[in-house]
Amino acid sequence: MTGEPLLLVSGLTKDFGRQAGLFGGRGRWLRAVDDVGFHIAPGETLGIVGESGSGKTTVARLVLRLLAPTAGSIRFEGQELTALDQAGMRPLRRHVQVVFQDPYSSLNPRLRVRDVIGEPLRNFGHGERAVTERVAEVMQITGLPPALMTRYPHAFSGGQRQRIGIARALALNPKLIVCDEAVSALDVSIQAQILNLLQDIQARFGLALMFISHNLAVVRHVSHRVAVMYLGQVVELADEADLFSDPQHPYTRALIAAVPEPDPQRCNDPVPLEGEIPDPTDPPRGCRFRTRCPVARERCTAEAPAIRALAPGRWVRCHFPGEAPFS
């Protein structure tokens, strides 16, 4: 990376408290995000992937400042966001937008499409004529006929509704769009259309994307770099080509091996990954992945691995990176 990143996250941590139960007992706390760091350059897509409960969506909400971090730094174009209150964040909200997972529940069913897409514009003082013109423009960009702007969301298909969500995110000409499982609720064929649309929009306007998904194949399709999360931590971060050709963390290896290979002549080598993700309120001592790791050793129980650089742009949180599972 050369120059200042658009978004720079370092040491990001988020704790949630849990009250004691009805019959007493001690309250517990959950560290949903633990020492997460990454950057996103202008015009780049960073994919964030991991199982449910890995902390992906919490990271998105922290970056959007929908949640306040417990610790760490979030810098957008060099400006620290963690110290800003809601009033201080308002001027920056036009530059960072979001596309949510569910195109059905993320749109207000009482508003016409014109008002759904135009709401951010009105919030920033645009007049009605400018709103109408911009709504028509972004509808065309996202493949929706502007003549449909007077309809309500229920009149559209799931894929069309997600296009409405993307049009709304584009309305203010943002510099970064956070896509939180933006295609997971759609059919596979519609997923491909939305992914291609996002890539076309990025190429046309130079947008940066933070693309969150549990689907590794989808992340590979759209991302320049990929961060793999497990139980609140980034366990591997690398360029897309390097990560998929030579994964260094055993969790990444297991995720890639689980992706179905359409060519029967190119079968992925199976990597054992047993059990479920541990209770995040009571994570394993030492390495958080050790209870499911095929290469875990005594050191993994005694010492939590720090994330470290193996090469420029290549980071891994593992005591024994690159080792194949025991036979």
Side-chain angles (χ1 to χ4, degrees), residues 156-232:
F156 294 85
S157 67
Q160 288 175 321
R161 293 184 198 187
Q162 199 60 298
R163 290 174 187 267
I164 294 170
I166 295 170
R168 177 186 169 94
L170 281 177
L172 290 170
N173 288 309
K175 298 177 181 179
L176 171 67
I177 295 181
V178 177
C179 301
D180 186 9
E181 297 280 7
V183 298
S184 63
L186 305 175
D187 293 339
V188 173
S189 60
I190 306 301
Q191 283 185 12
Q193 294 176 21
I194 297 300
L195 293 175
N196 290 336
L197 172 63
L198 288 170
Q199 290 181 306
D200 291 343
I201 289 170
Q202 182 178 49
R204 181 174 176 181
F205 299 106
L207 294 172
L209 300 176
M210 190 169 91
F211 192 91
I212 294 168
S213 178
H214 65 277
N215 188 325
L216 205 64
V218 168
V219 168
R220 183 177 191 179
H221 181 71
V222 299
S223 302
H224 299 100
R225 290 183 302 118
V226 179
V228 180
M229 289 193 67
Y230 183 81
L231 213 61

Side-chain angles (χ1 to χ4, degrees), residues 32-67:
V33 174
D34 186 8
D35 190 29
V36 165
F38 56 83
H39 73 265
I40 303 178
E44 180 186 37
T45 299
L46 175 72
I48 302 180
V49 67
E51 294 171 286
S52 297
S54 62
K56 308 183 300 297
T57 292
T58 304
V59 168
R61 291 175 178 173
L62 290 168
V63 168
L64 293 164
R65 284 302 315 274
L66 301 178
L67 293 173

Side-chain angles (χ1 to χ4, degrees), residues 13-16 29-34 70 231-232 280-281 288:
T13 300
K14 179 61 180 179
D15 297 335
F16 293 99
W29 61 274
L30 162 66
R31 176 152 288 180
V33 174
D34 186 8
T70 303
L231 213 61
T281 65
R288 294 189 174 192

